[in-house]
Amino acid sequence: MNKVDKHWYKTAIFMELNVRAYRDSNADGWGDLPGLTSKLDYIKDLGVDAVWLLPIMPSPLRDDGYDVSDFKSIFPAYGTIEDFNTLISEAHKRGIRIIVEIIPNHSSDLHPWFQASRDPNHPEHEKYKDWYVWSDTDQKYKDARIIFTDSETSNWAWDEVRGQYFWHRFYSTQPDLNYDNEEVQQEMLDIVKFWIDRGADGLRVDAPPYLFEREGTNCENLPETHAFLKRMRAFVDEYAPETLLLSEANMWPEEVIEYFGDGDEMHMNFHFPLMPRLFMALARGDRQPIVDILARTPKLPKYCQWGTFLRCHDELTLEMVTPEERQWMWETYSPDPKQRINLGIRRRLAPLLDNDLRKNLMMNSMLLTMIGSPFLYYGDEIGMGDDISLFDRNGVRTPMQWDASPSAGFSDAPKDKWYSPVISDEVYGYEKVNVEAQEADPNSLLKQLRHMIKARKQYPLFGWAEFEWLDFTEGKQTVVAYKREWEGDYFIVLNNLIDQDVHGTLPADAPEYLDVLTGETVKAGDYTLPPYGFVWLKPVGE
Ligand code: NOJ
C-alpha cells in the first residue's frame, strides 16, 4: 500500500461494516476483530480499498456503540488492542485501509466523564463539571430540532444527581460534550491521535454539525463548529497527513459544502441528499430528482471528495427531502409503517428493490460511476434482507450470511447466544442468500458486482472526473445518462430506470465505444438499453 498517497480516497471503494456482525472467531455469538481479520481476503477480492468500522469502543450499546463509555479502548467482545493491531497489519498487507469511527459530539451517560460531571460528590467533579452542557432550565436553544423524533421529545434531560438539565441531540443516554470547554476540544484531538497511533488510516467523524450550541440559532453548522473541525484537520495534516477525515453531516448540499472548507476541513463528506433521490428516480422512472439535487451540488475543492452510498447502518434518511417527497417515499418504499423510523425507512437495499437483481445492479451502476467515492454496506453485495421485528435500526445490522450451514458461517455459538437473530425467512434467509452460494453462481449479484467494481477500479477517472448530463432519449427522462470527463478521457454512462427497452442515440463524438463491462464494441448512433440496463462506454478510434 502506498502510504504516501495523500489522495487515495479520491479513487477508493469503501465498505462499511459492523465488527459484531461479521464473523465470530471465538464462538461467543458476537463478531470480533480476529473474525474480521479472517475475512480480509473476501473483502480484498470484492475490490474494497478501505473498510469503515462502525464503533468499536466500549459502550453500553444504547445507541449501538454510538454511546461510547471509553474512547481509547476496544469493546471487550470485539477483542483487544492487540487484535486491532493485527487487523491493521493484515489489512495493510493486502492494501486495505481501516477507518475508525469517532463520535466527538457526545458520550454515553455511563462514561466516567459524565459520571464525574453529574455528581458534585465525585472525586473528579471539579475537573469534569463543565465537560457537558448543563442548564437550570430546559428552555434554552428552543430552535434546535429533535433528531430521534420517535423516541425523544426534548433535547434536554433532567439529571437527578446534579439537579440540572443536560443537553443531548440524540438519545438522552448520549449527553452532548461541551465544546466551549477547551479541555474537551483537546481531549478529542488526543482521541484522534490515539487512533492514528494505533494505525487507523482514517476517521469517520460522527454527527459533526452539532458540536456547539448558540442561542437564537438551530445549533447546527455553527462557525465555532467549523473552526473546531478545521483545528482537527490542521492537527491531522501536521501529524499524519495521509489520514482521511470523513464526515457525516446530513445536510443540504449548500450546507455540507462548508464542511470541506477551502480544502482545509474534512476530506470527504457523505452526499446525503443524493441517496434518497436515486430511489425516487427509480420508482418514478424519471431522472429529474437526481438532476435537481446535482444542480444544487457545488463544485468541490480539488482534493475533496463526496462519499456516495445506497444504504448504510442507519435508516434510509428522508431528512433532506421535502415533506411531500418524504410522504411519497414512505408510501412507496415502506408500505408497512413498521418499516419506518424517525424521518426514514429502516430497510436494506435488496428488499427496497423488490429483490430485483436488475434494479440492484443498475442502482450500483449509478453508485459506482456518478460522482464521488462509493460506499458499500456489508451484506448488500449478496442482497441480504432485513428484520423489522428488531428494535431501532438493528434489523439492518444482522449477522453476515457466509454459508448455508447452521452457523451461517458467522458463529459456532448456539443461536440463542448470538447478538442478533440471523435473517432466516424464505426469500432472504441465510440458507438461500449467502456468500458461498453466490460464489458458485456466475450470475449472482456478488459476482456481477465484483466485476463492476473491478471495472471501475481500472479507471481512476471515475474518482476525479467532471460530471455532465447527456440527453440520450431526446428530452425523455427515463435514462440517467451522463458523461464523466477527466484529463481528455471520458466515459458515457447510461442507466435505464424503467422496466422496458429504451431507444436513444449515442453521441457521434466518437465512431464507436467500448462497453467496458462486456468487452463489446458499439457504434455511435441508434442504441437500445434493455429494461433496467446500464452501460459504461469508453470512446475508441477517435
Ligand atoms: C449517526 C450514526 O450514523 C447513527 O447511527 C447514530 O445513532 C447517531 N449518529 C448518533 O451518534
Side-chain angles (χ1 to χ4, degrees):
M1 191 171 66
N2 180 0
K3 256 298 205 187
V4 292
D5 177 6
K6 275 174 66 179
H7 310 300
W8 59 270
Y9 52 87
K10 286 287 286 186
T11 51
I13 306 284
F14 290 81
M15 184 163 78
E16 173 192 359
L17 67 81
N18 200 333
V19 170
R20 195 176 65 171
Y22 217 56
R23 162 77 194 149
D24 169 17
S25 72
N26 60 353
D28 65 355
W30 289 60
D32 46 43
L33 292 166
L36 168 56
T37 304
S38 73
K39 294 295 185 184
L40 286 172
D41 286 335
Y42 168 78
I43 292 171
K44 173 81 189 160
D45 262 15
L46 190 55
V48 170
D49 302 299
V51 176
W52 152 29
L53 306 178
L54 289 167
I56 53 171
M57 301 156 189
S59 161
L61 302 183
R62 303 268 166 66
D63 184 13
D64 215 7
Y66 284 92
D67 48 330
V68 176
S69 54
D70 177 358
F71 285 96
K72 291 181 181 164
S73 64
I74 304 273
F75 186 81
Y78 299 165
T80 60
I81 281 281
E82 289 68 45
D83 294 327
F84 182 76
N85 293 342
T86 309
L87 169 69
I88 292 278
S89 63
E90 289 299 315
H92 287 179
K93 261 188 222 160
R94 292 165 176 80
I96 300 172
R97 287 179 160 89
I98 300 289
I99 315 291
V100 169
E101 179 93 37
I102 59 155
I103 297 113
N105 182 67
H106 44 265
S107 73
S108 160
D109 57 355
L110 298 186
H111 196 295
W113 302 338
F114 187 75
Q115 292 301 317
S117 191
R118 70 189 294 216
D119 182 358
N121 296 319
H122 190 286
E124 293 206 275
H125 179 68
E126 236 353 82
K127 174 162 169 56
Y128 291 108
K129 65 176 195 251
D130 295 328
W131 277 47
Y132 294 85
V133 183
W134 294 101
S135 163
D136 290 329
T137 151
D138 60 356
Q139 296 303 304
K140 282 166 80 177
Y141 314 138
K142 292 299 255 185
D143 298 332
R145 70 189 164 116
I146 290 165
I147 297 170
F148 285 169
T149 48
D150 282 1
S151 37
E152 299 294 339
T153 50
S154 167
N155 287 320
W156 290 107
W158 175 251
D159 184 62
E160 281 296 344
V161 180
R162 177 148 163 161
Q164 275 190 311
Y165 294 95
F166 64 87
W167 181 249
H168 60 91
R169 288 311 296 268
F170 297 93
Y171 286 125
S172 57
T173 48
Q174 289 164 297
D176 275 33
L177 286 156
N178 174 18
Y179 274 80
D180 279 318
N181 185 335
E182 168 60 21
E183 283 179 33
V184 168
Q185 295 200 19
Q186 273 297 343
E187 179 60 30
M188 206 41 74
L189 296 179
D190 206 54
I191 289 164
V192 168
K193 177 171 176 294
F194 176 88
W195 288 103
I196 294 175
D197 289 345
R198 303 267 148 349
D201 301 289
L203 300 162
R204 188 256 193 191
V205 180
D206 183 67
Y210 317 106
L211 300 185
F212 283 82
E213 301 74 35
R214 291 291 177 262
E215 203 54 76
T217 73
N218 65 0
C219 300
E220 299 184 6
N221 314 318
L222 296 178
E224 293 85 345
T225 292
H226 286 294
F228 174 70
L229 295 173
K230 284 194 166 68
R231 185 174 175 193
M232 186 186 283
R233 172 62 183 271
F235 168 74
V236 162
D237 278 354
E238 171 79 29
Y239 190 68
E242 67 282 6
T243 309
L244 170 71
L245 292 178
L246 160 67
S247 125
E248 187 232 6
N250 183 357
M251 294 284 150
W252 290 99
E254 50 277 17
E255 287 158 343
V256 97
I257 190 76
E258 302 291 329
Y259 287 83
F260 293 105
D262 294 324
D264 59 353
E265 207 167 308
M266 301 285 117
H267 300 86
M268 288 185 76
N269 280 280
F270 288 109
H271 199 315
F272 275 93
L274 175 62
M275 182 274 298
R277 285 170 181 81
L278 298 173
F279 289 92
M280 219 183 276
L282 172 67
R284 290 186 178 161
D286 180 352
R287 75 188 197 186
Q288 195 59 39
I290 307 174
V291 173
D292 293 342
I293 203 68
L294 291 186
R296 262 179 90 166
T297 299
K299 205 169 145 51
L300 296 184
K302 182 165 178 197
Y303 296 117
C304 292
Q305 181 66 309
W306 292 112
T308 52
F309 62 105
L310 297 171
R311 291 306 320 111
C312 69
H313 66 291
D314 286 329
E315 69 273 30
L316 189 170
T317 167
L318 299 171
E319 277 165 282
M320 296 301 130
V321 299
T322 65
E324 297 72 37
E325 288 171 333
R326 184 177 308 132
Q327 196 53 38
W328 185 86
M329 282 290 287
W330 267 332
E331 281 159 21
T332 308
Y333 281 108
S334 52
D336 179 345
K338 286 204 288 300
Q339 295 165 329
R340 304 174 192 172
I341 188 171
N342 301 322
L343 296 185
I345 300 170
R346 49 187 194 128
R347 301 185 73 190
R348 264 193 184 263
L349 183 61
L352 283 165
L353 303 177
D354 311 316
N355 209 18
D356 185 327
L357 181 63
R358 301 165 309 164
K359 291 187 195 172
N360 199 321
L361 292 170
M362 193 277 295
M363 291 289 274
N364 273 292
S365 161
M366 293 199 281
L367 176 73
L368 290 169
T369 59
M370 190 176 280
I371 56 165
S373 294
F375 282 69
L376 314 172
Y377 182 50
Y378 87 93
D380 280 349
E381 78 277 15
I382 54 169
M384 265 169 58
D386 47 49
D387 180 352
I388 51 167
S389 74
L390 299 177
F391 175 66
D392 197 344
R393 293 148 290 175
N394 293 350
V396 300
R397 302 172 182 177
T398 58
M400 179 66 186
Q401 298 171 196
W402 296 104
D403 61 39
S405 72
S407 76
F410 164 67
S411 171
D412 295 326
K415 285 222 173 68
D416 62 352
K417 295 263 176 329
W418 290 21
Y419 79 90
S420 157
V422 64
I423 303 289
S424 56
D425 62 54
E426 267 179 23
V427 182
Y428 300 102
Y430 67 96
E431 298 91 337
K432 195 165 167 205
V433 175
N434 62 63
V435 171
E436 194 175 73
Q438 295 204 15
E439 292 287 10
D441 171 3
N443 294 318
S444 67
L445 173 60
L446 176 62
K447 284 260 166 114
Q448 296 197 59
L449 191 57
R450 190 185 281 154
H451 176 67
M452 289 161 67
I453 293 171
K454 269 205 181 93
R456 149 130 189 172
K457 285 166 69 103
Q458 277 170 27
Y459 302 100
L461 168 153
F462 286 116
W464 290 93
E466 298 292 330
F467 175 95
E468 187 190 325
W469 283 106
L470 287 182
D471 191 14
F472 172 69
T473 40
E474 286 176 32
K476 287 208 219 88
Q477 302 263 55
T478 46
V479 174
V480 187
Y482 43 89
K483 186 173 181 176
R484 303 289 319 274
E485 187 161 10
W486 182 57
E487 297 190 335
D489 286 332
Y490 68 89
F491 262 84
I492 285 177
V493 180
L494 308 174
N495 304 283
N496 183 2
L497 294 171
I498 62 172
D499 195 5
Q500 283 168 29
D501 285 354
V502 178
H503 309 285
T505 313
L506 286 178
D509 312 1
E512 46 184 34
Y513 296 89
L514 173 68
D515 174 341
V516 297
L517 294 171
T518 63
E520 284 163 18
T521 310
V522 296
K523 296 222 172 319
D526 290 346
Y527 190 75
T528 301
L529 272 174
Y532 301 119
F534 56 91
V535 277
W536 306 355
L537 300 173
K538 185 175 149 44
V540 283
E542 282 152 289

